[in-house]
Amino acid sequence: MHAKLSVVALSVAAAFALSACGQKEEPKAAAPAAPAGKPEVVVKLGHVAPMTGPQAHLGKDNENGAVLAIEELNAKGLEIGGAKVKFQLLAEDDAADPKQGAIVAQKLVDAKVNGVIGHLNSGTTIPASKLYSDAGIPQISGSATNPKYTQQGFKTAFRVMANDVQQGRALGEFAAKQGVKTVAVVDDRTAYGQGLADEFKKAAEASGLKVVATEYTNDKATDFKAILTKIKSTKAELVFYGGMDAQGGPMAKQMKELGIKAKFLGGDGVCTPEFMKLGGEATEGNFCSLPGQPLEKLAKGPEFREKFTKKFNAEIQLYAPYVYDAVMVMADSMKRADSVDPVKYLPAIGQTKYDGVTALIEFDPQGDLKGGAISIYQYKGGKLEYVETLGGSSVATAKAEVKEAVDSVKDAAKAVAGAATAVGKEAVGDAKEAAKDVVKAGAEAVKNAADATKAAVEKK
Amino acid sequence: MDIFLQQIINGLVQGSIYALVALGYTMVYGIMGLINFAHGEVVMIGTLVTITVAGSLIKAGMPVALAGLAGVSASVLVCMALGWGLERIAYRPLRNAPRLTPLITAIGMSIVLQNLAMMIWGRNYLTFPPLLPKMDFEFAGANFTAIQVIIVLVSAATMGGLLLLVYRTKLGMAMRATAQNPAVASLMGVNINRVIAAAFVIGSALGALAGVMVGGYYEIAHYQMGFMLGLKAFTAAVLGGIGNLGGAMLGGILLGIIEALGAGYIGDLTGGFLGSHYQDIFAFIVLIVVLMFKPSGLFGEKTGDRA
């Protein structure tokens, strides 16, 4: 009864907050319309993320990403279908709860939004996507990574980051490279955590690792000692956690308190500054992964970070750049379709080729990001340090180039070896000269190949 | 065997925290027959006040031990005032209302306090300042830390003190008299309002202490941390027999240990059919079985000695 009542109160509070927002927006919307003299269309974009509960910090981060994008779009003053367009954000709170997610989704459908950005969690995104699909409202999530989201056959469902099949595989292969033989897997039983943990398990087993324990917790827990004690008894060398930072941080800390020496590995949910804050020194030296590439390596990354911290006076937690891109992709599609009508601009989303902050965004027929890359990071001195990027189409081509370069190096080496034997067999002076030339040519070939390798790596 | 011992230690520490919180529920219930659902939020505010006070004093350069002491005192004082205020504002006007009314008010106060805390301290997780030196011990293959030992000792000492208060002082006698029959007690010259206010204040002070320990143990705090903790402590109080002080303590410790053992062994017991995420089910099955055979809880009595 207690929980139910609090849900009711939450939705009341959310509605209150929303109406307050609406009041604030109205005078602004009216002001520029009068002098412009042109017809103005208000485009309502729904945004859903947990604004209360244990993941509220991530929800706020997402919303900030959306707010930034919308402000920029409005400042630019787009014209679509001959009318000046004003974007308006309808921010909703789903408290990371699938039931609540469906309720607010229905609310957005009833409000006839033009599109939806979100939700944050896979567990809320998947049930909500059915409602949006039925209403024909396009939905782009910047953070729901569970593969099921786009596999339901909904034409309206898109995401701008790699899914958990790609991430789980990358993490599983990475774990195998860490020199461990046995792993324990913990997940928080959410669609995201469970999905990622399952994919990790498959990949880890395929890479020859042994999963010695599978334990579970939930996305509101603070005490993990009981399951960690069990893991300790299995002597697992690595603990993988599929879940979010609010649980992962304390979990890493409690591992240390129990004297567990195993490494800790997690996905995007724990790849945050918050995780290190909560886990303290227990996180040091461990690894995590994020879809996409680090902001610093992206052309527009540092600029985005600067804009973001300047506006909100806060660090980017996790998905803000992706949510920003999601809004931009939606606006871009409307522009290309020259319509804000969901029916008309939905096909345009599928043909997106948008150079965003996080990637060059193109969708496959399912609505997944094409060639999504996964980057591995290490927690070092309270910062996330970039280690390497795995997967992704551009990287695959770079890898092929590296292989080619290595082959040509091998050929050159053969030539050098051949020249050397030639030197040994013929003691005549002329032959020496000739051999020298061959060696020189070989050396040059090696040098060229090395350059090619370097270029390929840099590209990667 | 070392796993078993470790799980018992895990459960004992968790259970001591439950027990301290459960005392707050049971004291108020014993005297007024009211379940103060806002008690979990009092615990949460206790943690957050400690973080703010101790954290800022440490930043200002005060020695850690002194800052910690100041933080704990501040949190106890704030929570005592909060408990008094809750009783005065939310419950006293409803003293003679039907029983359901104050219950709903309690739930309302819980939500109000949560949102108030969210407005003051924000949505993010806060880290608890390291007030205690990090010390790890090992005993027969089981690991434990200094803070865990402190939690168990402080809980035991606080409970002992509370028992002394209730059974050896005049205030305690007044509390027991009020619990038995408020009308008769007031005819005998007991100031009922003061006794009930005292129960709230003492219960909230215990809640503040529990909050400090939860914060010190997990080193994180959040405006919603009180909800689940309150629910578990309430369960513990019911398990032990709500209204009975000894019952609340034993109920708390029992619940903590059952949970730890449940999470540790449920997978093995069911051959992997049920995983460790069913640990709460384990605890609630025990609760249901106990209530089936002893509806008033393990140590609950139908009437009389409640306080």
Side-chain angles (χ1 to χ4, degrees), chain A residues 73-132:
Chain A
L73 286 171
N74 284 340
K76 247 190 250 167
L78 281 181
E79 269 185 39
I80 294 173
K84 214 165 165 300
V85 167
K86 176 161 174 70
F87 289 91
Q88 193 186 12
L89 193 69
L90 296 186
E92 289 285 346
D93 171 24
D94 65 12
D97 175 8
K99 288 194 294 285
Q100 184 74 9
I103 292 170
V104 294
Q106 187 59 50
K107 206 166 141 191
L108 289 176
V109 169
D110 293 344
K112 297 206 167 41
V113 291
N114 301 68
V116 173
I117 307 297
H119 305 192
L120 190 154
N121 307 81
S122 297
T124 53
T125 307
I126 294 167
S129 62
K130 166 118 182 48
L131 294 167
Y132 299 132

Side-chain angles (χ1 to χ4, degrees), chain A residues 51 57 215 223 232 253, chain B residues 123-124 143 218-219 276:
Chain A
M51 304 305 292
H57 60 292
E215 296 294 333
D223 189 284
K232 191 184 175 189
K253 194 178 255 180
Chain B
R123 296 186 170 102
N124 285 0
N143 294 62
Y218 298 119
E219 294 183 3
S276 44

Side-chain angles (χ1 to χ4, degrees), chain A residues 30-200:
Chain A
K38 261 189 182 174
E40 194 184 66
V41 182
V42 174
V43 177
K44 286 187 276 190
L45 292 187
H47 176 266
V48 192
M51 304 305 292
T52 53
Q55 292 169 33
H57 60 292
L58 297 177
K60 188 78 200 155
D61 188 52
N62 274 22
E63 198 188 276
N64 284 347
V67 166
L68 191 64
I70 286 200
E71 279 191 3
E72 279 179 22
L73 286 171
N74 284 340
K76 247 190 250 167
L78 281 181
E79 269 185 39
I80 294 173
K84 214 165 165 300
V85 167
K86 176 161 174 70
F87 289 91
Q88 193 186 12
L89 193 69
L90 296 186
E92 289 285 346
D93 171 24
D94 65 12
D97 175 8
K99 288 194 294 285
Q100 184 74 9
I103 292 170
V104 294
Q106 187 59 50
K107 206 166 141 191
L108 289 176
V109 169
D110 293 344
K112 297 206 167 41
V113 291
N114 301 68
V116 173
I117 307 297
H119 305 192
L120 190 154
N121 307 81
S122 297
T124 53
T125 307
I126 294 167
S129 62
K130 166 118 182 48
L131 294 167
Y132 299 132
S133 168
D134 289 350
I137 297 174
Q139 175 190 16
I140 306 181
S141 175
S143 52
T145 48
N146 188 300
K148 207 183 143 207
Y149 167 51
T150 49
Q151 283 169 0
Q152 303 170 100
F154 296 151
K155 287 195 180 66
T156 48
F158 297 89
R159 77 175 119 223
V160 290
M161 61 161 45
N163 67 30
D164 287 339
V165 177
Q166 294 158 299
Q167 189 171 203
R169 195 184 300 145
L171 282 166
E173 284 163 8
F174 180 78
K177 281 195 290 182
Q178 294 297 296
V180 295
K181 299 225 157 41
T182 52
V183 294
V185 179
V186 183
D187 77 62
D188 65 359
R189 297 276 96 187
T190 61
Y192 161 70
Q194 194 177 341
L196 182 63
D198 289 349
E199 292 300 334
F200 170 80

Side-chain angles (χ1 to χ4, degrees), chain B:
Chain B
M1 191 59 206
D2 54 339
I3 302 168
F4 183 74
L5 189 65
Q6 181 78 61
Q7 295 290 26
I8 293 284
I9 291 175
N10 296 342
L12 189 65
V13 176
Q14 183 80 40
S16 298
I17 294 171
Y18 288 159
L20 256 186
V21 183
L23 283 175
Y25 278 101
T26 219
M27 261 180 84
V28 168
Y29 184 86
I31 291 173
M32 298 175 66
L34 161 76
I35 295 162
N36 178 17
F37 269 117
H39 190 60
E41 272 58 52
V42 174
V43 175
M44 172 267 294
I45 287 182
T47 316
L48 295 179
V49 168
T50 316
I51 289 181
T52 307
V53 174
S56 50
L57 285 179
I58 289 175
K59 239 185 215 161
M62 201 186 251
V64 173
L66 218 57
L69 211 62
V72 175
S73 329
S75 112
V76 169
L77 286 177
V78 167
C79 284
M80 282 167 109
L82 187 67
W84 183 82
L86 271 180
E87 197 271 331
R88 192 73 195 77
I89 297 165
Y91 303 134
R92 192 178 293 183
L94 299 171
R95 181 108 17 107
N96 296 316
R99 289 186 74 159
L100 202 56
T101 319
L103 186 72
I104 291 171
T105 313
I107 294 170
M109 286 318 288
S110 153
I111 295 169
V112 167
L113 288 178
Q114 266 188 37
N115 284 283
L116 206 66
M118 185 181 90
M119 281 150 80
I120 298 174
W121 283 282
R123 296 186 170 102
N124 285 0
Y125 277 80
L126 301 168
T127 41
F128 202 83
L131 298 179
L132 285 164
K134 288 247 180 284
M135 273 190 285
D136 298 337
F137 304 101
E138 207 181 318
F139 174 74
N143 294 62
F144 54 97
T145 55
I147 179 90
Q148 288 180 303
V149 180
I150 291 172
I151 287 174
V152 175
L153 291 182
V154 169
S155 296
T158 321
M159 292 173 206
L162 189 66
L163 282 180
L164 276 182
L165 177 91
V166 169
Y167 288 103
R168 290 280 183 274
T169 65
K170 230 174 163 183
L171 177 65
M173 198 192 280
M175 280 179 170
R176 281 179 292 143
T178 312
Q180 280 184 1
N181 191 326
V184 174
S186 76
L187 287 176
M188 297 293 136
V190 174
N191 186 340
I192 305 275
N193 281 343
R194 258 185 54 200
V195 168
I196 290 176
F200 267 92
V201 168
I202 295 168
S204 300
L206 295 178
L209 279 180
V212 172
M213 280 185 262
V214 174
Y217 185 30
Y218 298 119
E219 294 183 3
I220 62 167
H222 189 245
Y223 74 94
Q224 280 194 329
M225 60 182 278
F227 178 69
M228 215 38 211
L229 185 63
L231 215 57
K232 289 277 173 67
F234 172 64
T235 311
V238 173
L239 180 66
I242 192 154
N244 183 301
L245 289 180
M249 296 174 206
L250 286 171
I253 289 172
L254 212 58
L255 187 71
I257 291 177
I258 291 170
E259 265 186 19
L261 293 180
Y265 291 103
I266 195 167
D268 300 341
L269 286 178
T270 57
F273 177 63
L274 296 178
S276 44
H277 50 308
Y278 286 100
Q279 61 167 313
D280 288 349
I281 287 189
F282 215 78
F284 285 112
I285 287 175
V286 173
L287 178 73
I288 290 168
V289 170
V290 167
L291 291 185
M292 264 161 58
F293 292 102
K294 285 209 75 177
S296 51
L298 283 176
F299 301 94
E301 292 155 35
K302 271 187 198 135
T303 50
D305 192 19
R306 305 179 303 181

